[in-house]
Amino acid sequence: MTTATTVPKKKIPWSKIALGVILVVLIGLQVFQFKISAMLLEKIQISQLQHEKLEIKQKIADDRLEVMILGDRLENQLQKDQ
């Protein structure tokens, strides 16, 4: 008859467990930092687009104002000529 022999369990040292936990936490923080960076970059791009949109609107308003001023000058000139 053969007797069952037990295989001694290898104990994992606490230092390796702690190192594993630290690595998992650091990887989690890196993922979180990457997501935050991506979100901030997207917000910056949106802000730049809004700024460009406002500049275009201001240029259009300036052009309209210039056309109105030129129209008034032309109208005044025509009235003087009559």
Side-chain angles (χ1 to χ4, degrees):
M1 241 161 85
T2 60
T3 58
T5 57
T6 59
V7 178
K9 290 184 179 179
K10 291 185 178 179
K11 285 192 170 187
I12 300 174
W14 285 106
S15 61
K16 287 188 178 181
I17 293 173
L19 182 62
V21 170
I22 290 172
L23 286 175
V24 168
V25 169
L26 288 176
I27 290 171
L29 288 174
Q30 287 289 345
V31 170
F32 179 72
Q33 182 182 8
F34 176 76
K35 287 185 178 187
I36 294 293
S37 297
M39 182 184 71
L40 290 175
L41 180 63
E42 184 179 332
K43 286 189 176 204
I44 289 171
Q45 289 172 341
I46 289 171
S47 294
Q48 287 175 341
L49 289 174
Q50 288 174 340
H51 181 71
E52 289 174 9
K53 182 180 174 183
L54 286 175
E55 285 179 344
I56 291 170
K57 283 184 176 183
Q58 185 175 3
K59 185 168 173 45
I60 289 171
D62 289 346
D63 290 346
R64 286 183 181 168
L65 181 61
E66 188 176 345
V67 167
M68 289 173 58
I69 290 171
L70 290 174
D72 287 344
R73 285 182 185 168
L74 183 61
E75 193 174 311
N76 289 339
Q77 189 67 33
L78 288 173
Q79 287 177 357
K80 285 182 184 177
D81 289 345
Q82 290 178 352

